Amino acid sequence: MAAQTFDVIVIGAGPGGYVAAIRASQLGLKVAIVERENLGGICLNWGCIPTKAMLRSAEVFHLMHRAAEFGLSVTGADFDLNAVVARSRGVAKQLSGGIGHLMKKNKVTVFMGAATLPKAGAVSVKTDKGTDELTAKSIILATGARARELPGLEADGDLVWTYRHALQPKRMPKRLLVIGSGAIGIEFASFFNTLGADTTVVEVMDRVLPVEDAEISAFAKKAFVKQGMKILEKTTVKKLDRSPGKVVAHLENAAGTTTQEFDTVISAVGIVGNIENLGLEALGVKIDRTHVVTDEFCRTGIEGLYAIGDIAGAPWLAHKASHEGVMVAELIAGKHPHPIKPNSIAGCTYCHPQVASVGLTEARAKEAGFDIKVGRFPFIGNGKAIALGEVEGFIKTIFDAKTGEMLGAHMIGAEVTELIQGYVVARGLETTEEDLMNTVFPHPTLSEMMHESVLDAYGRALHI
């Protein structure tokens, strides 16, 4: 059978791949996309979206218990875990179906199957019905990543779970161990802890949420402990002894080794790129620690072959993948896009309280040799936060004392994942502290704290 020819073939239909396909089609290119599992990839089906749906259920449950504070009464507050999961899966299904509609609308040809690259410019797709041979001048790898599994801590779906098992839990954990306190680990710890699991989080680094600013980590730890979580930092899980219905974890830190018993373990110790069985090595693609090495425009060094999103390395964020997809599509179409700046991409964690940040932490800014000015503003000083009953949290801003450039912004508290975008736009526009100070923020809003934090960096805060 003759090969089908396209201008662009995208491998992987997650938030990087499907967005790349849409943009390439908008630019008049003939596009095919190959997906072996679900349109929307991990993000829509097993990541960002279904976790947020579950966390929303936990948030509402938490608020039900606080009803009296708001002059309301709730009796017999309870939850149905199966119904919570069913809602989450329904949300994921709705969005995944939406991607199918977008592919049709944008005339992108979809191949459901596993792709390999037999040679440069060619893709072979193994489907249920046989094999499709495709060719294109440009190929975009967007195969994403999966959970890292450490020897001895492998998931079994029964006692030890990955994020996938945790999204469709077969039971409500009573005593839960979460290994890893990055965004994924902390979000699941937050969800199950809110629903009543006795939750312990183990982190090998010296603090929870280790990529965040140290002050944010410290505040988050206090909040988590207050909610009943046990946080063990600078601690390693050496091994897990499994027996019916229980896991004995051997935990090691500077004080020595201890054992603790749990009925459920969630492993969230990072991710590895999906680089296997594609034929990349034979093509001469450079790989570094399970990720494809690219330049700032996502080029792999092999003519016409690009890699975007998680497979191309940190930051492992859906929005980074989508923007890389747009950039590469424009590059292929002969446009002149700007490279993506990792330091201007916000990270968001949807635990309770929420965490969001962009740019340099205070420690990183100092390491980079900047003379800095730092501002902070607490939620307790904001009228809207008090009215909402959400007074836990603060906003921190970091400026270059010489130029007034905003180097970083870090937040913890209610709805900060929505607020952070104001600072992202400010960084994109190369806004100075003066521009931010002269911006009129609406009242009463949580966003006023963003203004006050900037004012505080320059000794001008009004409400503290």
Side-chain angles (χ1 to χ4, degrees):
M1 196 172 107
Q4 300 178 60
T5 303
F6 296 88
D7 297 317
V8 182
I9 300 167
V10 184
I11 302 174
Y18 85 74
V19 167
I22 290 171
R23 186 65 188 127
S25 180
Q26 285 175 348
L27 292 164
L29 299 168
K30 186 184 178 192
V31 186
I33 194 162
V34 183
E35 173 55 53
R36 68 179 181 186
E37 200 173 354
N38 306 109
L39 293 176
I42 294 296
C43 177
L44 261 69
N45 296 283
W46 298 103
C48 331
I49 300 298
T51 51
K52 299 317 150 287
M54 285 171 74
L55 285 158
R56 175 66 171 155
S57 293
E59 182 185 16
V60 173
F61 188 60
H62 168 75
L63 284 170
M64 284 161 72
H65 285 87
R66 291 178 56 194
E69 278 178 50
F70 300 94
L72 308 170
S73 67
V74 172
T75 50
D78 204 354
F79 66 90
D80 175 344
L81 188 59
N82 291 336
V84 169
V85 171
R87 176 179 181 271
S88 162
R89 299 318 307 156
V91 168
K93 190 176 174 196
Q94 181 182 338
L95 286 166
S96 187
I99 304 303
H101 170 70
L102 285 172
M103 295 298 96
K104 275 198 193 82
K105 182 185 163 189
N106 288 282
K107 300 181 175 59
V108 174
T109 308
V110 177
F111 292 89
M112 295 304 291
T116 53
L117 283 70
K119 61 181 183 195
V123 175
S124 183
V125 186
K126 198 172 178 194
T127 68
D128 290 346
K129 294 173 184 155
T131 304
D132 288 309
E133 302 299 341
L134 320 176
T135 61
K137 210 164 143 187
S138 302
I139 295 171
I140 303 172
L141 296 171
T143 54
R146 63 185 183 277
R148 179 186 297 281
E149 299 230 59
L150 297 180
L153 311 184
E154 294 92 352
D156 52 39
D158 176 25
L159 299 168
V160 183
W161 298 350
T162 64
Y163 60 86
R164 283 212 183 202
H165 305 118
L167 278 168
Q168 289 189 300
K170 49 172 72 173
R171 64 172 177 278
M172 176 64 199
K174 290 189 181 69
R175 294 205 63 202
L176 172 67
L177 170 64
V178 177
I179 308 173
S181 76
I184 295 171
I186 281 296
E187 286 184 0
F188 280 120
S190 201
F191 173 76
F192 286 111
N193 188 70
T194 301
L195 295 189
D198 179 356
T199 306
T200 299
V201 178
V202 167
E203 172 55 58
V204 71
M205 305 293 278
D206 61 353
R207 55 199 173 84
V208 289
L209 296 168
V211 302
E212 300 297 339
D213 187 87
E215 278 186 73
I216 298 288
S217 290
F219 191 100
K221 182 185 177 181
K222 265 191 199 153
F224 299 151
V225 169
K226 194 172 157 191
Q227 291 163 27
M229 283 190 215
K230 291 173 214 51
I231 307 282
L232 303 175
E233 294 150 330
K234 291 190 190 166
T235 302
T236 312
V237 180
K238 297 311 278 184
K239 66 170 184 161
L240 298 173
D241 296 331
R242 309 172 202 217
S243 53
K246 72 170 186 180
V247 181
V248 175
H250 296 252
L251 310 175
E252 185 177 281
N253 56 29
T257 305
T258 56
T259 59
Q260 287 192 37
E261 191 180 302
F262 302 92
D263 61 74
T264 311
V265 178
I266 296 175
S267 177
V269 289
I271 61 171
V272 291
N274 293 322
I275 52 168
E276 302 86 354
N277 309 318
L278 288 163
L280 300 184
E281 295 82 355
L283 286 176
V285 174
K286 280 199 194 82
I287 309 260
D288 177 29
R289 287 167 295 182
T290 81
H291 294 94
V292 174
V293 178
T294 65
D295 68 5
E296 61 182 350
F297 288 104
C298 297
R299 295 179 291 218
T300 63
I302 307 297
E303 187 64 35
L305 185 64
Y306 303 82
I308 64 170
D310 287 357
I311 195 180
W316 296 289
L317 299 165
H319 41 290
K320 173 251 199 188
S322 296
H323 273 264
E324 286 179 340
V326 169
M327 176 185 73
V328 169
E330 293 185 352
L331 205 59
I332 291 167
K335 308 267 185 209
H336 302 281
H338 293 291
I340 309 297
K341 294 177 185 162
N343 254 341
S344 290
I345 298 173
C348 298
T349 305
Y350 298 78
C351 47
H352 181 75
Q354 292 181 7
V355 174
S357 59
V358 66
L360 300 176
T361 62
E362 185 177 347
R364 282 277 161 85
K366 285 176 180 167
E367 277 165 29
F370 288 103
D371 179 15
I372 59 173
K373 285 188 179 291
V374 179
R376 297 171 189 81
F377 194 83
F379 270 58
I380 192 77
N382 176 264
K384 177 76 180 292
I386 294 167
L388 288 175
E390 298 288 355
V391 294
E392 261 195 16
F394 71 98
I395 292 178
K396 175 176 179 176
T397 46
I398 302 157
F399 292 88
D400 179 345
K402 291 191 184 73
T403 65
E405 179 193 354
M406 171 177 275
L407 299 172
H410 308 274
M411 312 178 171
I412 184 165
E415 301 305 333
V416 295
T417 56
E418 297 292 340
L419 295 179
I420 193 67
Q421 188 58 17
Y423 287 141
V424 175
V425 171
R427 277 178 61 80
L429 297 174
E430 298 183 358
T431 307
T432 64
E433 91 290 358
E434 196 175 337
D435 298 318
L436 286 163
M437 285 182 191
N438 290 333
T439 300
V440 181
F441 286 76
H443 174 81
T445 63
L446 297 175
S447 70
E448 290 173 277
M449 293 184 284
M450 296 167 67
H451 191 217
E452 290 273 12
S453 180
V454 176
L455 291 170
D456 184 57
Y458 291 83
R460 290 175 49 182
L462 299 166
H463 290 93
I464 41 170

